[in-house]
Amino acid sequence: MPLNTRPDRDPLLWCTAITFAFLALLLWRITFPVEFYFDEIHYVPAARKLLDLVPANREHPMFGKEVIAGFIWLLGDTPLTWRLGPVLTGALGLFGFGRFLWHVSHKRRATILGMVLLATNFMWFVQSRIAMLDMIEAGLCMVGLWQFAAALRASSTRSARAHLLAAGLAMGLSLGAKWSSAPALMVPGLAFLALRLAEGGPFFWGRKGGAGTIPGISLLEAALWLGLFPLAIYWLTYLPAMFYADRPIWFTGFIEQHEYMIRLQDSVKKPHPYRSYWYMWATDWRDIWYLFKVIEGSQRGIVMLGNPLSMLTGLGALVWGLWAVLFRRRWDVALLLALYTLCLGVWAINGKPVQFYYHYLLPGAFLMGILAFALEPLLARRDRWRWLGVGIPALSVLLFLGFFPILSGLPLPTRQFYNVWMWLPSWR
């Protein structure tokens, strides 16, 4: 299962420039609105209580709330500090996504396209500007995947081991923010195992990197960095809860704590107007209005919606991806298909009674990577198909700019003006 070794130049400068441009856009008016909106009403108060070691929001893991609480403690209790954690992890996650695409494919243009598509897929931007747990989880997940892919490309065992350590740390913290990334976090270990089996060499100790596995890193050591170490980091994120004055979590109570959290999550069964299902997410059928109210004398809105062009053409890219894996042996595409399928499929079989479109955050991101890989060959063509390689990303950027007023809460001329963007009745 050899990794693609096309000798493209590393687009590190492009990755960095796109990331800083995205970060600047995220920080623009980040203190708006000055009051809580949507699920900030749950997570910011929980972070405040955490500073006093008072339990709250116990159905979710700790690390996302610890990040919010940490910025409040460092910089004061303001809208900026509530949202700074998601902003920074959103930008870092975009960079990590680009570096992940580069290391698994060594395709320069696909890497740049993937970052542009993710930055403009609406979801990554909106979720990076709200004090919720999801972007902290998703951003760190991308960092973990990047570091794992970098380990496969490392020039020495020592360098690879450092990347694996960083991957395990990021994976543990991602899971410590929210469980939604769990399917994606299984992939590095499974990929290492698949590569080692395909390599056909010594099972527990590979001294050659024939199939892309890391020289000198045994299967047992990989299991340590990609399995046990992330779980240890995850459990350490519960350390503050072990000092609660009321109902502390015992260090030895791992199983009991998670049984309790699952019961709490499953207890939410009341129908919600924004409730949706996995097949609705894939077709961009049901959005969520995070904000819709008059603020400072003007009607404002912030909608969680997928970019209709990139999200729907991405479904076509899934078909291309299957063809590329079966007939072109594109294992970089296979990796992204596995990530997309696992992260979406878990919600198809999940028994959680109430689900929302923002659960598509990670699957939608991996879909952008598949779309980028599908568009990249078109850029090299000299016929009428070339315009798709340029046109779809360009139109995605234009749609992002067109929808920007209701992605960022800009003033609308009238209350009904939001109808300009409501192309489907289900978006209302």
Side-chain angles (χ1 to χ4, degrees), residues 215 260 402:
Y260 177 60

Side-chain angles (χ1 to χ4, degrees), residues 203-320:
F203 192 66
F204 288 103
W205 188 266
R207 296 186 181 278
K208 297 180 180 179
T213 48
I214 307 161
I217 301 294
S218 69
L219 193 62
L220 287 175
E221 183 176 355
L224 168 65
W225 297 122
L226 301 175
L228 296 178
F229 181 57
L231 286 176
I233 294 297
Y234 168 75
W235 190 229
L236 285 175
T237 64
Y238 285 83
L239 188 60
M242 299 174 193
F243 295 92
Y244 284 160
D246 177 33
R247 294 168 293 159
I249 297 174
W250 297 106
F251 189 79
T252 56
F254 187 92
I255 294 176
E256 293 81 356
Q257 170 62 18
H258 287 76
E259 289 175 342
Y260 177 60
M261 293 168 69
I262 291 170
R263 287 198 304 271
L264 287 177
Q265 293 193 16
D266 289 345
S267 68
V268 182
K269 298 181 179 180
K270 183 179 179 180
H272 193 284
Y274 286 126
R275 177 181 178 178
S276 56
Y277 303 94
W278 65 272
Y279 51 85
M280 295 179 179
W281 311 338
T283 55
D284 211 13
W285 185 255
R286 186 70 177 114
D287 61 353
I288 305 175
W289 281 94
Y290 279 3
L291 176 74
F292 192 78
K293 63 187 295 187
V294 174
I295 299 176
E296 298 174 357
S298 297
Q299 181 66 50
R300 317 275 185 140
I302 297 176
V303 67
M304 166 54 82
L305 175 71
N307 186 315
L309 178 65
S310 58
M311 289 298 193
L312 295 180
T313 54
L315 298 182
L318 291 176
V319 178
W320 171 87

Side-chain angles (χ1 to χ4, degrees), residues 48-347:
R48 289 169 172 170
K49 291 180 179 180
L50 181 59
L51 291 171
D52 296 322
L53 294 179
V54 175
N57 189 243
R58 299 191 73 160
E59 64 269 29
H60 290 301
M62 299 285 295
F63 186 67
K65 290 166 283 189
E66 288 166 355
V67 170
I68 297 171
F71 279 110
I72 291 174
W73 179 76
L74 283 171
L75 303 174
D77 194 346
T78 68
L80 172 64
T81 57
W82 308 339
R83 298 165 189 152
L84 198 52
V87 164
L88 295 178
T89 50
L92 180 61
L94 177 65
F95 182 79
F97 178 70
R99 301 311 294 163
F100 170 64
L101 293 182
W102 167 249
H103 284 297
V104 298
S105 71
H106 271 194
K107 291 184 176 294
R108 176 183 175 87
R109 287 184 290 192
T111 297
I112 296 169
L113 282 178
M115 290 189 70
V116 171
L117 289 169
L118 180 58
T120 60
N121 83 335
F122 295 8
M123 298 187 73
W124 203 262
F125 175 80
V126 171
Q127 203 63 46
S128 295
R129 287 169 54 90
I130 185 170
M132 292 172 59
L133 310 179
D134 301 78
M135 185 48 70
I136 299 171
E137 162 239 336
L140 288 168
C141 175
M142 292 302 182
V143 173
L145 293 174
W146 157 34
Q147 289 301 305
F148 168 69
L152 293 181
R153 298 287 189 180
S155 58
S156 69
T157 301
R158 182 177 180 180
S159 174
R161 189 169 286 125
H163 283 299
L164 288 176
L165 186 150
L169 176 62
M171 290 162 61
L173 294 178
S174 172
L175 192 64
K178 205 170 184 182
W179 293 343
S180 301
S181 62
L185 301 180
M186 296 166 50
V187 169
L190 294 174
F192 188 97
L193 175 61
L195 289 169
R196 179 53 52 84
L197 291 173
E199 188 178 44
F203 192 66
F204 288 103
W205 188 266
R207 296 186 181 278
K208 297 180 180 179
T213 48
I214 307 161
I217 301 294
S218 69
L219 193 62
L220 287 175
E221 183 176 355
L224 168 65
W225 297 122
L226 301 175
L228 296 178
F229 181 57
L231 286 176
I233 294 297
Y234 168 75
W235 190 229
L236 285 175
T237 64
Y238 285 83
L239 188 60
M242 299 174 193
F243 295 92
Y244 284 160
D246 177 33
R247 294 168 293 159
I249 297 174
W250 297 106
F251 189 79
T252 56
F254 187 92
I255 294 176
E256 293 81 356
Q257 170 62 18
H258 287 76
E259 289 175 342
Y260 177 60
M261 293 168 69
I262 291 170
R263 287 198 304 271
L264 287 177
Q265 293 193 16
D266 289 345
S267 68
V268 182
K269 298 181 179 180
K270 183 179 179 180
H272 193 284
Y274 286 126
R275 177 181 178 178
S276 56
Y277 303 94
W278 65 272
Y279 51 85
M280 295 179 179
W281 311 338
T283 55
D284 211 13
W285 185 255
R286 186 70 177 114
D287 61 353
I288 305 175
W289 281 94
Y290 279 3
L291 176 74
F292 192 78
K293 63 187 295 187
V294 174
I295 299 176
E296 298 174 357
S298 297
Q299 181 66 50
R300 317 275 185 140
I302 297 176
V303 67
M304 166 54 82
L305 175 71
N307 186 315
L309 178 65
S310 58
M311 289 298 193
L312 295 180
T313 54
L315 298 182
L318 291 176
V319 178
W320 171 87
L322 290 173
W323 172 85
V325 172
L326 293 174
F327 298 104
R328 290 292 183 266
R329 295 180 63 83
R330 287 286 302 273
W331 305 113
D332 50 355
V333 179
L335 188 59
L336 280 164
L337 281 173
L339 287 163
Y340 177 82
T341 303
L342 288 171
C343 288
L344 181 59
V346 71
W347 292 105

